[in-house]
């Protein structure tokens, strides 16, 4: 089963400074472990919400709006695509990833199973 882990941050509570070397090393270790276990299919961080573009469809009309989006408090900051035997395994990997951030960060991960082709 494949799972998408959407990494969500609250832009109003995220530390202003860049992550320190210890945190990056801890996150790197989790990513290395995911890779060695054959669980990690893909991962990436996302550019800031200020660089985003939203496209909406309402009443048959498309609207294209470039960021920044001032109403955005919680944003998706990155993702992982995992191959896991179960949802419990995806939860375990997500938990390890979050724990690597330490006590100064408030981060959520939303885990969603991907529909597999028929």
């Amino acid at each position: 089963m494949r799972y998408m882990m959407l990494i969500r941050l609250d832009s109003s509570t995220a530390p202003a400074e860049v992550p320190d070397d210890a945190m990056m090393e801890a996150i790197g270790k989790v990513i290395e472990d995911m890779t060695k276990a054959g669980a990690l299919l893909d991962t990436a961080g996302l550019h800031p919400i200020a660089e985003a573009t939203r496209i909406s469809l309402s009443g048959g009309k498309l609207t294209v709006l470039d960021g920044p989006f001032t109403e955005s408090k919680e944003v998706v900051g990155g993702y992982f695509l995992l191959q896991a035997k179960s949802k419990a395994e995806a939860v375990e990997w997500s938990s390890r990833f979050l724990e690597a951030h330490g006590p100064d960060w408030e981060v959520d991960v939303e885990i969603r199973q991907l529909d597999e082709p028929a």
Side-chain angles (χ1 to χ4, degrees):
M1 294 175 281
R2 294 180 303 157
Y3 292 89
M4 176 70 69
M5 297 165 44
L6 299 171
I7 304 160
R8 298 184 182 275
L9 304 166
D10 182 334
S11 58
S12 67
T13 62
E17 65 277 354
V18 296
D20 63 21
D21 291 342
M23 182 177 134
M24 293 307 294
E25 187 175 318
I27 291 171
K29 173 71 170 123
V30 175
I31 291 171
E32 180 181 334
D33 290 348
M34 286 179 183
T35 302
K36 285 180 180 176
L40 183 62
L41 300 176
D42 192 25
T43 186
L46 300 176
H47 282 243
I49 190 78
E51 299 175 24
T53 299
R54 287 186 182 160
I55 304 172
S56 301
L57 176 66
S58 178
K61 182 180 179 206
L62 284 175
T63 303
V64 178
L65 181 63
D66 288 327
F69 306 108
T70 56
E71 74 279 4
S72 295
K73 183 177 175 189
E74 183 182 271
V75 297
V76 176
Y79 72 94
F80 284 89
L81 182 59
L82 297 180
Q83 179 74 41
K85 295 179 183 91
S86 65
K87 186 175 182 180
E89 182 182 349
V91 168
E92 176 62 29
W93 284 121
S94 299
S95 298
R96 287 188 57 194
F97 171 76
L98 289 175
E99 288 169 346
H101 284 75
D104 295 334
W105 284 76
E106 292 187 25
V107 184
D108 294 319
V109 171
E110 179 180 331
I111 301 171
R112 307 271 304 267
Q113 185 174 354
L114 276 67
D115 284 335
E116 298 297 335

